[in-house]
């Protein structure tokens, strides 16, 4: 059996693990099995080629590793921040902000399920294995992927930085990136430990979802605060230290550059440099002490609360009959609603993105406020609400996946001749239950800011969101809703998601042009409504699965 290169590298740290009280030989075996299982999770894009090349051993490469080139491409955008100038506090704060954003987002969406996995408890806890060894194996398993992710983002920029700023810059960067990964994993684990301690049952699962949404929003807001912490003075970014900068973690990792390379010996940079080193190490020490309680409380995730009797209210039934005309469509609408409400993995992957779609329009509005102040009269900034539509293609794609996908066999046994009703009910459930609440809150706030005059614009945007949902559905691969495993999610449709951002720009552009004509706004409403109605009626007829 072929050994993994990552494990061979890990062997060099065997002494360190043994000093921590870990049985390294067992740890290595557990990691080997986990990595082998990861290899067998073949993404959709590679499933066809793997069937054709069964004898080719290279097909058993991890789908996550194959997707790293996308992160490497994103990492290229950090090179200008490293190359131009020696204002390290600004430049490296931005670079570490980008890296922390990417790694933390991946940690929340992809690896939270690994951290909260209770299957180890059933398999490994029945064996004579040290509990700390099991927990550290889980921790190292996540760290392996986060290190690969960080390396793919920063490898090329760091080499460029080596030639531009020298070996000291390179060494500080490597140490900073290691500590950043440690801080992210431990911080996430400690947060889950705190939540697990005070909640249990179904409420705990909901709280974890809310925590993940909150983390995603905090990342987005924190990144904006980071950029606005610097003022442009004489074509240079100037930082005026404040006490609240201590909560902007990327600054911790930028401070050592100013202290060691630029010789800035003020207390501000020294304190931040020590925080960058000490906080991850202390947090890791606390995590090791809390591991037994963490593993014990993980059992709460397996507890099932009593199911509540669902009361059907009259007005809701009337509203549903207006949204869905046929009984079959209403049945699929209810099914999708229940799946989106109770499917934990679905909520883990989708809900944080909903937070992004809510906050992005405000980020752009705040940017314009910096130039125009709070007086938004005559401004077209309300068109930023189109950014809330960015979530639509992602959720439409995710509606195919479920943690209980094997139950989809029921669709094949039912006498369903027209699957268009299934898709129509599913898409309507997504729009009503997930997208509309966000849109209505945004619309309400925008009316307060920009006035009642933007109501026709909000109507166009709402119609365009329905139109865009159908465009996304027709462009993406079709499959019975909730019939595929989350493990088959790959990068096969990642490029399609990016392509689907183009229609948003086109719809917003047409909207903007229509505002330049006296009655253009009302013509736009009529055309968008007819186009949307036509596409919803005709588009689903030819769908085949």
């Amino acid at each position: 059996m072929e050994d993994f290169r990552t494990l061979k590298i890990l062997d060099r740290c065997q002494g360190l693990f043994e000093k921590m009280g870990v049985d390294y030989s067992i740890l290595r075996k557990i990691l080997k099995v986990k990595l082998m299982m990861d290899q067998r999770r073949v993404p959709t894009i590679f499933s066809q080629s793997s069937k054709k090349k069964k004898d080719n051993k290279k097909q058993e490469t991890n789908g996550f590793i194959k997707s790293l080139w996308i992160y490497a491409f994103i990492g290229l955008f950090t090179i200008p921040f490293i190359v131009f100038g020696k204002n390290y506090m600004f430049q490296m704060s931005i670079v570490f902000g980008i890296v922390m954003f990417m790694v933390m987002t991946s940690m929340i969406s992809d690896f939270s399920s690994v951290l909260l996995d209770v299957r180890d408890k059933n398999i490994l806890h029945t064996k004579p294995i040290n509990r700390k060894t099991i927990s550290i194996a889980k921790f190292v398993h996540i760290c392996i992927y986060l290190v690969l992710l960080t390396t793919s983002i920063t490898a090329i920029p760091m080499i460029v930085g080596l030639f531009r700023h020298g070996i000291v810059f390179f060494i500080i960067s490597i140490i900073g990136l290691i500590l950043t990964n440690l801080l992210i994993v431990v911080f996430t684990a400690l947060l889950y430990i705190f939540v697990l301690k005070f909640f249990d049952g179904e409420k705990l699962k909901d709280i974890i979802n809310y925590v993940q949404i909150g983390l995603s929003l905090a990342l987005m807001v924190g990144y904006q605060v980071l950029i606005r912490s610097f003022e442009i003075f004489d074509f240079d970014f100037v930082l005026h230290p404040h006490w609240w900068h201590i909560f902007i973690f990327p600054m911790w990792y930028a401070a050592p550059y100013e202290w060691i390379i630029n010789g800035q010996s003020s207390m501000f940079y020294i304190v931040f440099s020590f925080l960058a080193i000490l906080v991850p190490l202390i947090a890791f020490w606390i995590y090791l002490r809390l591991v037994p309680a963490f593993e014990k409380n993980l059992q709460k995730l397996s507890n099932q609360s009593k199911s509540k009797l669902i009361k059907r209210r009259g007005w809701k039934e009337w509203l549903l009959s207006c949204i869905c005309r046929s009984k079959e469509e209403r049945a699929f609408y209810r099914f999708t609603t229940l799946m989106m409400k109770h499917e934990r993995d679905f909520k883990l992957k989708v809900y944080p993105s909903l937070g992004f779609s809510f906050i992005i329009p405000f980020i752009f509005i705040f940017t314009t406020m910096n130039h125009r102040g709070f007086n938004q009269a005559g401004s077209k900034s309300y068109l930023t609400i189109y950014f809330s539509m960015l979530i639509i293609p992602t959720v439409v794609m995710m509606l195919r996946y479920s943690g209980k996908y094997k139950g989809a066999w029921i669709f094949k046994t039912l006498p369903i001749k027209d699957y268009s009703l299934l898709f129509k009910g599913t898409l309507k459930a997504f729009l009503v239950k997930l997208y509309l609440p966000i849109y209505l809150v945004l619309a309400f706030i925008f009316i307060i800011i920009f006035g009642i005059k933007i109501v026709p614009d909000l109507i166009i945007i709402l119609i365009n969101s329905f139109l865009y949902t159908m465009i996304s559905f027709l462009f993406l691969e079709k499959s019975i809703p909730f019939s595929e495993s989350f493990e088959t999610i790959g990068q096969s449709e990642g490029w399609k998601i990016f392509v689907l951002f183009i229609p948003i720009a086109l719809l917003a552009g047409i909207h903007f042009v229509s505002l330049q004509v006296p009655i253009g706004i009302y013509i736009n409403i009529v055309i968008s409504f007819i186009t949307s109605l036509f596409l919803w009626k005709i588009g689903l007829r030819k769908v085949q699965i």
Side-chain angles (χ1 to χ4, degrees):
M1 188 180 295
E2 188 181 356
D3 204 359
F4 292 93
R5 193 174 299 170
T6 48
L7 294 181
K8 289 178 181 176
I9 297 171
L10 205 65
D11 288 342
R12 299 176 185 275
C13 303
Q14 181 175 352
L16 180 64
F17 284 111
E18 288 176 348
K19 283 182 181 177
M20 292 165 56
V22 174
D23 187 336
Y24 183 74
S25 60
I26 298 294
L27 173 85
R28 201 179 193 284
K29 288 176 183 174
I30 295 172
L31 285 173
K32 193 170 185 177
V33 172
K34 286 179 179 289
L35 293 172
M36 197 181 301
M37 290 172 67
D38 292 341
Q39 279 191 333
R40 293 173 182 173
R41 293 172 185 168
V42 184
T44 310
I45 189 173
F46 306 117
S47 60
Q48 297 302 318
S49 60
S50 64
K51 289 176 184 175
K52 297 175 183 176
K53 301 176 182 178
K54 288 183 178 177
D55 297 330
N56 187 356
K57 291 183 179 178
K58 290 184 179 178
Q59 66 177 318
E60 287 193 356
T61 52
N62 196 311
F64 177 82
I65 295 173
K66 284 185 176 181
S67 69
L68 290 178
W69 66 270
I70 295 177
Y71 295 102
F73 177 73
I74 295 171
L76 296 178
F77 291 97
T78 63
I79 291 177
F81 293 104
I82 294 174
V83 172
F84 298 119
K86 292 190 176 181
N87 186 349
Y88 295 113
M89 198 62 193
F90 171 72
Q91 295 169 221
M92 297 313 294
S93 290
I94 298 294
V95 172
F96 274 96
I98 293 171
V99 172
M100 292 179 85
F101 180 82
M102 300 295 296
V103 176
M104 191 74 183
T105 305
S106 182
M107 177 71 209
I108 295 168
S109 60
D110 297 330
F111 297 108
S112 285
S113 56
V114 178
L115 202 61
L116 300 171
D117 191 359
V118 294
R119 287 175 296 183
D120 285 354
K121 193 176 181 68
N122 300 326
I123 299 171
L124 297 176
H125 283 208
T126 57
K127 311 294 185 296
I129 302 174
N130 184 353
R131 299 292 171 88
K132 182 180 282 187
T133 303
I134 298 171
S135 298
I136 294 296
K138 188 184 289 184
F139 185 84
V140 174
H141 182 213
I142 296 171
C143 283
I144 287 172
Y145 286 109
L146 292 188
V147 168
L148 289 173
L149 174 64
T150 308
T151 304
S152 65
I153 296 171
T154 59
I156 298 175
M158 287 303 116
I159 292 171
V160 173
L162 173 64
F163 286 101
R164 174 70 176 83
H165 300 292
I167 188 68
V168 177
F169 174 91
F170 185 75
I171 292 171
I172 295 173
S173 301
I174 298 299
I175 295 172
L177 290 170
I178 292 171
L179 291 170
T180 301
N181 275 274
L182 185 64
L183 178 68
I184 288 171
V185 179
V186 173
F187 175 75
T188 311
L190 289 176
L191 200 59
Y192 287 142
I193 288 172
F194 178 79
V195 174
L196 284 166
K197 183 174 177 62
F198 293 101
F199 300 95
D200 58 4
E202 291 297 322
K203 193 171 184 179
L204 170 63
K205 296 168 187 175
D206 292 336
I207 291 291
I208 287 174
N209 285 142
Y210 298 143
V211 167
Q212 289 167 335
I213 295 170
L215 276 176
S216 304
L217 295 178
L219 278 173
M220 183 68 82
V221 174
Y223 194 70
Q224 295 300 316
V225 173
L226 168 64
I227 294 174
R228 284 163 175 75
S229 298
F230 295 87
E231 294 179 4
I232 301 176
F233 180 77
D234 199 16
F235 297 102
D236 196 9
F237 288 91
V238 179
L239 175 68
H240 300 292
H242 295 285
W243 65 269
W244 49 267
H245 284 155
I246 203 168
F247 298 109
I248 305 176
F249 300 147
M251 282 188 173
W252 296 2
Y253 297 93
Y257 296 93
E258 287 288 340
W259 181 26
I260 298 173
I261 299 178
N262 276 351
Q264 296 279 359
S265 57
S266 71
M267 190 56 69
F268 177 79
Y269 298 108
I270 295 172
V271 169
F272 274 36
S273 300
F274 277 106
L275 284 174
I277 298 170
L278 294 178
V279 171
L281 297 178
I282 293 172
F284 183 61
W285 179 80
I286 295 172
Y287 169 75
L288 289 178
R289 292 291 177 276
L290 296 177
V291 160
F294 180 50
E295 292 296 329
K296 183 181 177 182
N297 289 330
L298 272 181
Q299 183 60 37
K300 291 180 179 178
L301 289 171
S302 304
N303 298 337
Q304 299 293 325
S305 301
K306 292 181 179 178
S307 58
K308 295 179 181 177
L309 184 63
I310 300 174
K311 295 180 180 178
R312 292 184 178 175
R313 299 181 186 276
W315 68 271
K316 285 187 176 179
E317 288 300 305
W318 174 81
L319 187 63
L320 180 57
S321 64
C322 295
I323 297 170
C324 303
R325 295 297 178 87
S326 68
K327 290 182 179 177
E328 292 83 358
E329 194 179 326
R330 285 197 287 273
F332 295 131
Y333 176 95
R334 290 194 187 99
F335 168 71
T336 305
T337 302
L338 289 173
M339 288 297 289
M340 290 191 301
K341 187 176 180 181
H342 298 293
E343 173 72 69
R344 186 173 153 230
D345 290 334
F346 179 85
K347 290 195 286 188
L348 278 173
K349 294 183 182 297
V350 170
Y351 278 29
S353 304
L354 295 176
F356 285 139
S357 67
F358 180 79
I359 206 162
I360 286 177
F362 292 108
I363 289 172
F364 284 96
I365 286 182
F366 289 146
T367 303
T368 59
M369 280 183 173
N370 285 341
H371 299 93
R372 300 172 60 101
F374 287 96
N375 182 16
Q376 296 293 317
S379 170
K380 301 289 188 296
S381 299
Y382 54 81
L383 292 178
T384 56
I385 201 171
Y386 271 99
F387 285 105
S388 68
M389 290 162 59
L390 290 174
I391 186 63
I392 289 177
T394 304
V395 179
V396 170
M397 183 185 75
M398 294 301 295
L399 285 171
R400 298 195 337 242
Y401 302 101
S402 170
K404 297 170 183 173
Y405 64 97
K406 292 180 180 176
W409 62 268
I410 193 73
F411 291 107
K412 295 294 182 184
T413 61
L414 293 173
I416 302 173
K417 294 181 180 179
D418 185 6
Y419 279 94
S420 65
L421 294 175
L422 170 60
F423 292 119
K424 197 180 285 185
T426 302
L427 293 175
K428 285 180 178 178
F430 152 62
L431 285 170
V432 173
K433 294 295 180 180
L434 292 185
Y435 181 73
L436 269 183
I438 292 174
Y439 176 81
L440 292 176
V441 174
L442 281 173
F444 178 73
I445 297 171
F446 274 48
I447 288 174
I448 293 174
I449 297 173
F450 297 97
I452 198 78
K453 64 179 181 180
I454 68 166
V455 169
D457 298 277
L458 295 175
I459 292 172
I460 290 181
I461 296 169
L462 183 60
I463 295 171
N464 282 341
S465 66
F466 295 159
L467 174 63
Y468 181 61
T469 302
M470 185 49 63
I471 292 172
S472 301
F473 172 75
L474 294 174
F475 189 68
L476 294 169
E477 189 178 332
K478 283 90 186 157
S479 178
I480 293 174
F482 309 106
S483 64
E484 296 182 18
S485 170
F486 284 111
E487 295 176 357
T488 62
I489 298 176
Q491 303 300 323
S492 59
E493 294 188 276
W495 66 271
K496 290 184 180 179
I497 299 294
F498 284 106
V499 171
L500 279 169
F501 292 159
I502 296 173
I504 299 179
L506 290 175
L507 292 169
I510 293 169
H511 187 165
F512 181 79
V513 171
S514 71
L515 293 173
Q516 312 306 316
V517 183
I519 57 168
I521 185 86
Y522 300 103
I523 296 173
N524 194 353
I525 289 176
V526 174
I527 293 175
S528 292
F529 180 76
I530 293 172
T531 309
S532 181
L533 197 65
F534 175 79
L535 212 58
W536 273 81
K537 281 203 172 289
I538 306 300
L540 289 172
R541 286 184 184 175
K542 296 182 180 180
V543 172
Q544 293 182 347
I545 54 175

